[in-house]
Amino acid sequence: MALYAIGDLHLSLTADKSMEVFGPAWKDYVGRIEESLGALAAEDVLVLAGDTSWGIDLAEAEADFRFLDRFPCKKYLVKGNHDYWWTTAAKLHRFFEEKEIRTLEMLHNGCFFYGDYAVCGTRGWFLEEDAHNVKVLNREVGRLEASLRAAEGRPALCFLHYPPLYQGYECPEILSVLEKYEVPVCCYGHLHGAAIRRRLEGTRGKTDYSLISADYLEFQPKKIWD
């Protein structure tokens, strides 16, 4: 049993938005995802750190969810900025029940426990992308804090879609929450292509940061914890 993570699968089995148009790094990416997820065991746990499906609603995302459900490991979904299908936990749970999709679950405003650790997460935010949308930033900070409070004092492994820091940018509001709860591990996605060069990885304060976007990982989920 091991905990893995990967972000930004950008599946589009129904939506006509193949990522292969973005260059050789994405060539046959669905096949590569299929091969790598097929190597995980049923006892493993996989965090999908946002931008999982291009579907604009649950109906359009269904084929992507069914593709993921073929692999027996448990999977937890974090929201990404392109997850337009995202809905309430109750609606998503009902949808999965109706469609008999058994291995997927939302990670949102809460956490799940993995051994002695809590696995927490939320989308995060880039305030610099929309300087007037302070409300959205504050909402994401609140969701992150709610997730970390749900850890009930356990050390937290945190998964965000947006990076809380990279070269030339940081989100102090998110970073202060990670510092407050002494989060030992924070993984993030969202960065692709040339932007990958701006990633910041390694230890800052008490937190170890790492990029887990799919093209950066060459579509191989990263093992986070045994």
Side-chain angles (χ1 to χ4, degrees):
M1 179 177 179
L3 176 69
Y4 294 85
I6 191 168
D8 306 87
L9 297 183
H10 286 289
L11 294 170
S12 59
L13 299 181
T14 300
D16 186 19
K17 288 189 175 184
S18 172
M19 294 294 286
E20 291 191 359
V21 299
F22 291 103
W26 290 90
K27 181 176 176 58
D28 190 31
Y29 74 105
V30 175
R32 292 156 73 187
I33 292 168
E34 183 174 21
E35 182 178 3
S36 65
L37 296 193
L40 301 185
E43 297 80 13
D44 293 329
V45 178
L46 176 65
V47 177
L48 297 170
D51 285 4
T52 299
S53 168
W54 275 115
I56 62 170
D57 53 28
L58 290 176
E60 193 169 74
E62 180 179 348
D64 300 330
F65 294 144
R66 289 196 180 280
F67 170 81
L68 293 170
D69 196 49
R70 289 166 40 197
F71 308 101
C73 67
K74 184 68 176 181
K75 306 164 197 76
Y76 289 90
L77 300 161
V78 174
K79 185 178 183 180
N81 60 306
H82 292 300
D83 286 322
Y84 305 119
W85 53 267
W86 192 269
T87 183
T88 66
K91 288 181 180 179
L92 188 63
H93 179 75
R94 186 164 58 250
F95 177 83
F96 286 159
E97 283 290 313
E98 291 173 353
K99 302 298 182 179
E100 298 184 343
I101 295 171
R102 304 300 188 194
T103 66
L104 276 70
E105 192 171 328
M106 181 185 286
L107 175 57
H108 190 62
N109 288 334
C111 71
F112 69 90
F113 298 121
Y114 183 86
D116 295 330
Y117 290 82
V119 178
C120 303
T122 190
R123 180 182 59 178
W125 191 247
F126 277 163
L127 186 57
E128 68 173 12
E129 288 191 354
D130 186 350
H132 302 291
N133 213 336
V134 177
K135 287 183 179 180
V136 177
L137 170 63
N138 290 339
R139 189 180 305 134
E140 285 301 308
V141 170
R143 286 172 175 159
L144 176 59
E145 187 140 24
S147 183
L148 292 167
R149 282 199 305 268
E152 300 176 348
R154 288 177 171 86
L157 310 174
C158 185
F159 298 88
L160 305 173
H161 178 66
Y162 284 119
L165 74 173
Y166 61 88
Q167 291 177 21
Y169 173 82
E170 62 179 45
C171 183
E173 295 86 353
I174 296 287
L175 292 173
S176 69
V177 175
L178 298 175
E179 181 179 358
K180 174 182 175 181
Y181 287 88
E182 299 183 347
V183 172
V185 171
C186 178
C187 300
Y188 61 88
H190 186 67
L191 301 181
H192 304 295
I196 287 173
R197 294 197 296 268
R198 298 179 64 189
R199 72 191 186 279
L200 290 177
E201 298 188 280
T203 301
R204 169 176 167 156
K206 296 183 178 181
T207 304
D208 186 68
Y209 294 90
S210 59
L211 174 63
I212 57 168
S213 54
D215 50 331
Y216 175 61
L217 296 180
E218 297 183 346
F219 304 95
Q220 296 289 329
K222 179 174 181 175
K223 182 185 284 189
I224 307 299
W225 218 260
D226 288 314

